[in-house]
Amino acid sequence: ILVLVLVLILVLVWVLVLLLVLLLLLVLVLSSVCCCSQRCWSCWVCTFCRLLQAVCINAVRGNPDSVIAAIDHFCQNQEWAMNVGDEKGAILDSVVMETSPSTVLELGTYCGYSAVRIMRLLPPATRFITLEMNPDYAAVARQVIQHAGLQDKVCLVEGKSADLIPKMADMFGIRTFDFVFFDHWKDCYLPDIRLLEELLSFTWNFENPQCVSTEITR
């Protein structure tokens, strides 16, 4: 009986060790595929990692409308995220179609939702540049944009808008934008507008608006 008990204890110990090893391997795998620079213990720690997973699972690759629908469904039914959303998105769509810009600047990429939403309405020749200062958001956005099939049409640049706006002419040969979408920190709106006015010959046209922000419906 004593031998049997020892054998059972030994088996249980080996089972526990095996489970711990499997758990460690699972954590390492999840960490390796996590899109965060911080390397979370698992992708479900981060909202934007979960959002990306929802896109990869539910959206049809190469279909921008499917990507938008997947993100909208995630934000409406699973958890909140800082994307434009379907209601403001409809307003954004109407402004984009009305202005039909050939050069677009987006300030604040986040998960890439608005970049996909805007670019899907414009011809391939449109110059679309989006700026994002958070490397984790940029990593997710690149994958979302790629899943939508727009990676060759959207240029994502990492860095602060105040640092990058003055470099637009040198980096891209663009001295003015037909359309600017403000979707970053609200404290940056006025300084960035002044930079655009000073450095990129950006002017206000209230009959044919060049500038839109996420505050339009608030």
Side-chain angles (χ1 to χ4, degrees):
I1 295 177
L2 181 59
V3 173
L4 181 59
V5 171
L6 290 174
V7 171
L8 288 175
I9 292 174
L10 184 61
V11 170
L12 288 174
V13 169
W14 277 108
V15 169
L16 288 174
V17 170
L18 180 60
L19 289 174
L20 287 173
V21 170
L22 291 175
L23 180 60
L24 178 60
L25 289 174
L26 178 62
V27 169
L28 290 174
V29 169
L30 290 175
S31 177
S32 67
V33 299
C34 179
C35 49
C36 304
S37 62
Q38 299 174 7
R39 286 288 179 252
C40 320
W41 278 71
S42 64
C43 283
W44 58 76
V45 171
C46 298
T47 296
F48 39 97
C49 286
R50 292 191 294 272
L51 185 148
L52 175 60
Q53 289 178 334
V55 169
C56 294
I57 293 171
N58 300 309
V60 178
R61 183 173 291 276
N63 186 326
D65 288 312
S66 179
V67 169
I68 290 171
I71 296 176
D72 283 338
H73 184 272
F74 174 85
C75 295
Q76 291 169 4
N77 298 281
Q78 293 181 250
E79 56 187 292
W80 179 86
M82 295 187 298
N83 65 303
V84 174
D86 55 346
E87 293 183 3
K88 290 182 182 180
I91 299 174
L92 179 61
D93 289 351
S94 64
V95 176
V96 171
M97 289 187 290
E98 180 182 348
T99 56
S100 188
S102 60
T103 53
V104 179
L105 175 65
E106 178 187 41
L107 303 179
T109 315
Y110 187 51
C111 66
Y113 176 93
S114 50
V116 171
R117 182 149 204 144
I118 293 171
M119 195 59 212
R120 86 193 203 285
L121 300 173
L122 300 174
T126 302
R127 301 287 300 280
F128 190 108
I129 300 168
T130 179
L131 310 183
E132 176 54 57
M133 65 176 292
N134 187 313
D136 292 338
Y137 293 170
V140 170
R142 284 193 178 92
Q143 295 177 73
V144 169
I145 292 167
Q146 183 176 19
H147 197 90
L150 299 175
Q151 67 274 11
D152 295 329
K153 302 175 183 178
V154 175
C155 179
L156 193 161
V157 184
E158 289 185 41
K160 296 181 179 179
S161 55
D163 297 333
L164 293 172
I165 288 174
K167 300 177 182 178
M168 289 291 102
D170 292 335
M171 293 175 66
F172 302 102
I174 296 177
R175 297 191 176 276
T176 188
F177 286 95
D178 299 329
F179 188 91
V180 180
F181 181 52
F182 288 76
D183 195 21
H184 57 338
W185 293 105
K186 308 301 181 285
D187 294 343
C188 298
Y189 280 14
L190 184 57
D192 285 348
I193 287 174
R194 287 173 175 165
L195 274 177
L196 288 165
E197 289 175 335
E198 294 172 3
L199 300 168
L200 296 173
S201 303
F202 182 87
T203 57
W204 290 94
N205 184 337
F206 292 100
E207 294 182 358
N208 186 22
Q210 294 172 288
C211 176
V212 177
S213 112
T214 50
E215 298 294 308
I216 49 180
T217 60
R218 292 181 184 176

